[in-house]
Amino acid sequence: MANRSVSKDGATVEVWSKTCQILRRELGEATFGSWLSQASLREQDGDVCLVAATGVARDWIRRHAWRRIGELWAQNDPMGRSLALKSKMEFEGQGSATAAPALEAPPLSARPQAEAPRTAPEPSAAPQSTAPGRQQGLQERFSFETFVPGPSNEFAFAVARRVASWADGHFNPVLFHGPYGFGKTHLLNALAWEAMQTGEAKRVVYLTAERFTSTFVRAIQDRQTAAFKAELRNADLLLIDDVHFVAGKQNTQEELFHTLIALIEDGRRVVLTADRSPSELSEMEPRLRSHLQSGLVCGIEPADRALRLGILERKLAILAQAGGFLPSARGEVLQFLADRFTDSVRELEGALNTLIARVGGDIARLSLDEAQAILRPHLACSEKRVTVDQIQKAVAEHYGLKQTDIISERRARVVARPRQAAMWIAKQITTRSLPDIGRRFGGRDHTTVLHAVRRIEALKQDDAVLARDLDAIIRKLRS
């Protein structure tokens, strides 16, 4: 089968160029750039095919732009040809054994009607406990194997594995708490899957606090409270995610309190998560809050830089396996993501998802400038503007200096290293150019700023204390 790009001087390219001009104007630069700019026209045995960089991009085009592309193509193509839609992997015939079934795109000239969303097929090799797990809302991608432990979460990880193994000597209840997006739900899901595997005769119940509340309210309305209580109190292990959701809901808190008492007194196990420690849940009923504190409270801290890099590498490996390409990316790109997305692992993974959706297997060749350009439109609206002046003040405060020290001519290491750190942060989280940053640091030359940026970049690879300092300062500036 002969596959080749459409000739650049052919009528086909001219038709597609006109189509793109209109789509760019109608969809906007950011949306067009994210989903359509990487698509290309290819010929296969005389037929013309629009090839998206990834399956994700193909699906987006099909859902959101396919009808419009069909209209524009039909209007501009004098030959009246049809146009197929495939991902790059489908077109090149790679990964056919493991790839999802192709979405058969109808000819664009037919102007297809919108179709109902398709439901993803269930994996055929799932463990026996998967079906009840799905019914409870567990997510298969959250397992101990895909969880990346590090200094900020290794204690919670060890506790979760011990509970999942049904080991004796456990504390009851166990509460994992920490900021949004740092692995609490992942850990609770992983614990549930493992517990169902290691204790096949045990009854594991997982639900969010929101679902606990809504089910309880419905049970009251239907006069089924006895069945609701029996369902939960017969569990060998009860897992409740985001328990802070019940704060301020008097009746729900009352029921949860009695459920905990019944389970704990009967030797059953309870594990919960919250976004804060129990002592900070001020809207929660005091005796419930006291019981949450009576067992083992495990804090999960924000991931440090090394852990964020580990999470990116693991996520890249998973995406590469699903997409059929090598799990490789430039170190500077991964380091940029790790330094830029410090507030949430979900945001960190989302940024990598965006890059993969845009370039697919070409992620290995993606440069830092290209990665920043792809992510910039998606981040501009949510990014807090931080000034160089604020950075200087934050760095000075962190190191016990005055802001005037940071911009002074002093060259002592106690001042020079924080000054370099401030320049590095300014380069990372502001849009200022090197000369502009230099002017704000006492009129220094841009080469001085460049040297500082490179120096800190090199030092933080091996200096864990410096890396933590930079993380703490950036987090404070963005909070």
Side-chain angles (χ1 to χ4, degrees):
M1 181 179 291
N3 296 343
R4 63 186 180 86
S5 298
V6 176
S7 172
K8 293 188 180 295
D9 59 353
T12 304
V13 171
E14 184 178 351
V15 174
W16 179 239
S17 178
K18 291 179 180 178
T19 301
C20 285
Q21 289 176 8
I22 298 172
L23 289 172
R24 190 187 298 271
R25 185 169 60 250
E26 293 179 350
L27 297 173
E29 187 65 39
T31 300
F32 182 91
S34 294
W35 302 107
L36 282 161
S37 66
Q38 297 296 315
S40 61
L41 286 179
R42 306 286 291 274
E43 285 186 358
Q44 188 177 66
D45 292 340
D47 295 326
V48 182
C49 182
L50 178 61
V51 179
T54 67
V56 175
R58 173 207 61 200
D59 295 347
W60 187 94
I61 292 170
R62 190 172 192 275
R63 287 194 302 270
H64 300 285
W66 193 233
R67 179 191 293 271
R68 183 56 174 155
I69 291 173
E71 293 172 351
L72 296 171
W73 182 266
Q75 291 171 8
N76 291 289
D77 183 22
M79 300 173 63
R81 295 167 296 176
S82 63
L83 183 67
L85 173 64
K86 294 182 180 180
S87 69
K88 183 177 180 181
M89 184 184 300
E90 290 170 347
F91 184 85
E92 295 178 351
Q94 298 174 352
S96 58
T98 57
L103 291 176
E104 292 297 334
L108 281 169
S109 56
R111 304 183 188 181
Q113 299 296 315
E115 296 182 10
R118 298 176 182 241
T119 303
E122 303 288 4
S124 59
Q128 291 182 356
S129 60
T130 333
R134 287 199 197 95
Q135 293 168 8
Q136 296 185 55
L138 292 170
Q139 300 182 58
E140 293 179 13
R141 63 192 179 95
F142 290 154
S143 66
F144 284 133
E145 287 67 34
T146 58
F147 190 88
V148 182
S152 62
N153 61 27
E154 58 189 356
F155 178 62
F157 180 71
V159 169
R161 298 218 72 154
R162 183 168 179 80
V163 173
S165 69
W166 302 95
D168 294 330
H170 63 282
F171 296 91
N172 211 9
V174 172
L175 175 72
F176 300 115
H177 73 87
Y180 172 82
F182 277 100
K184 302 185 301 297
T185 296
H186 189 150
L187 205 57
L188 207 62
N189 274 253
L191 196 163
W193 289 121
E194 186 81 3
M196 287 190 290
Q197 292 289 329
T198 57
E200 295 183 2
K202 303 285 189 179
R203 189 164 183 273
V204 178
V205 175
Y206 166 90
L207 70 167
T208 64
E210 182 178 8
R211 185 177 174 191
F212 178 96
T213 302
S214 62
T215 307
F216 174 60
V217 170
R218 189 163 56 251
I220 293 176
Q221 294 171 343
D222 297 341
R223 299 183 180 180
Q224 296 290 325
T225 54
F228 173 81
K229 293 177 180 181
E231 175 75 13
L232 296 184
R233 298 180 191 186
N234 287 329
D236 295 292
L237 172 61
L238 175 64
L239 306 159
I240 300 181
D241 200 9
D242 292 333
V243 71
H244 53 270
F245 180 83
V246 306
K249 300 175 176 66
Q250 191 59 42
N251 292 338
T252 303
Q253 289 184 89
E254 183 80 13
E255 181 59 32
L256 179 57
F257 170 77
H258 289 297
T259 298
L260 294 183
I261 294 295
L263 288 169
I264 292 172
E265 288 183 349
D266 200 26
R268 318 276 180 141
R269 305 186 182 191
V270 181
V271 183
L272 313 99
T273 71
D275 63 354
R276 289 155 285 165
S277 67
S279 61
E280 296 176 294
L281 297 172
S282 57
E283 295 183 4
M284 187 168 282
E285 205 269 334
R287 59 178 181 169
L288 175 57
R289 187 168 66 241
S290 176
H291 269 78
L292 295 179
Q293 291 176 294
S294 66
L296 178 61
V297 178
C298 301
I300 299 178
E301 299 297 325
D304 61 17
R305 188 174 190 269
L307 180 55
R308 293 196 298 273
L309 284 170
I311 290 169
L312 285 171
E313 291 169 357
R314 178 68 62 85
K315 180 70 173 180
L316 179 59
I318 292 171
L319 292 172
Q321 183 177 13
F325 57 87
L326 293 176
S328 176
R330 294 186 180 183
E332 61 182 7
V333 171
L334 296 182
Q335 289 163 14
F336 162 72
L337 296 178
D339 291 331
R340 169 60 184 80
F341 298 92
T342 61
D343 296 331
S344 167
V345 170
R346 286 194 180 98
E347 292 179 4
L348 179 68
E349 293 183 336
L352 182 60
N353 287 339
T354 299
L355 296 181
I356 297 294
R358 179 74 175 266
V359 302
D362 291 334
I363 184 71
R365 295 192 291 272
L366 190 71
S367 70
L368 176 58
D369 288 343
E370 291 169 335
Q372 291 173 329
I374 290 171
L375 295 173
R376 190 174 295 120
H378 305 277
L379 303 175
C381 60
S382 61
E383 184 160 313
K384 176 182 176 182
R385 291 188 65 84
V386 178
T387 66
V388 174
D389 182 69
Q390 290 171 326
I391 292 171
Q392 292 170 350
K393 290 177 180 177
V395 171
E397 180 181 346
H398 185 86
Y399 287 103
L401 301 171
K402 297 178 181 179
Q403 186 179 0
T404 53
D405 294 327
I406 298 295
I407 62 176
S408 72
E409 295 296 328
R410 293 178 58 190
R411 296 187 178 183
R413 182 172 178 176
V414 68
V415 175
R417 187 56 47 78
R419 181 186 298 127
Q420 290 177 328
M423 291 179 179
W424 180 87
I425 293 173
K427 178 65 173 65
Q428 297 300 311
I429 68 174
T430 76
T431 57
R432 298 290 182 184
S433 64
L434 294 179
D436 201 8
I437 293 173
R439 282 193 293 271
R440 284 164 170 74
F441 278 82
R444 287 175 165 81
D445 188 82
H446 77 279
T447 57
T448 302
V449 181
L450 181 59
H451 170 75
V453 170
R454 290 175 174 172
R455 181 63 176 158
I456 293 298
E457 193 66 43
L459 286 173
K460 68 187 179 73
Q461 306 298 326
D462 301 314
D463 190 335
V465 174
L466 175 61
R468 284 195 297 269
D469 286 345
L470 295 170
D471 270 355
I473 295 168
I474 291 174
R475 193 172 293 113
K476 182 177 180 180
L477 286 165
R478 286 177 171 157
S479 64

